Amino acid sequence: MDDIDDNRDEFGVEPICTTLQFAPSTCYAAKSRLPSARDLRDTVLLPVLMTLWVANYKVYGVRKTWKAMIRAGHDVGRDQVGRLMHELGIHGVAS
């Protein structure tokens, strides 16, 4: 959606949506939609995850970070931790 907003003045929303092969109403609906429960939860977990990763010397991978999140009292799945770590651009150190 950011690409559409960046180019809307030059090309217009409808031609861009036609080129991308989806209805303009889809674009407008996405902009007016409230954030999902997953998005809201992610905004809470991202800083916690970064804090735990830094506190563990920036060496923990997904599995150990997930375990640290569980110990810290967060009900989070391993795959979710992996997705959030990827989003933050952080990773573990292989020995």
Side-chain angles (χ1 to χ4, degrees), residues 33-55:
R33 188 176 308 128
L34 295 174
S36 67
R38 174 179 161 170
D39 289 339
L40 294 174
R41 182 166 165 83
D42 286 355
T43 57
V44 171
L45 290 177
L46 284 170
V48 172
L49 185 110
M50 181 60 87
T51 303
L52 280 173
W53 185 72
V54 170

Side-chain angles (χ1 to χ4, degrees), residues 48-91:
V48 172
L49 185 110
M50 181 60 87
T51 303
L52 280 173
W53 185 72
V54 170
N56 288 293
Y57 308 104
K58 301 180 181 179
V59 297
Y60 276 10
V62 173
R63 187 179 58 82
K64 286 187 177 180
T65 304
W66 168 59
K67 294 284 189 178
M69 293 280 286
I70 299 293
R71 284 192 303 272
H74 299 280
D75 183 26
V76 62
R78 190 186 73 227
D79 291 339
Q80 184 179 14
V81 170
R83 179 178 54 79
L84 294 174
M85 286 180 71
H86 180 75
E87 188 175 318
L88 290 169
I90 61 177
H91 53 82

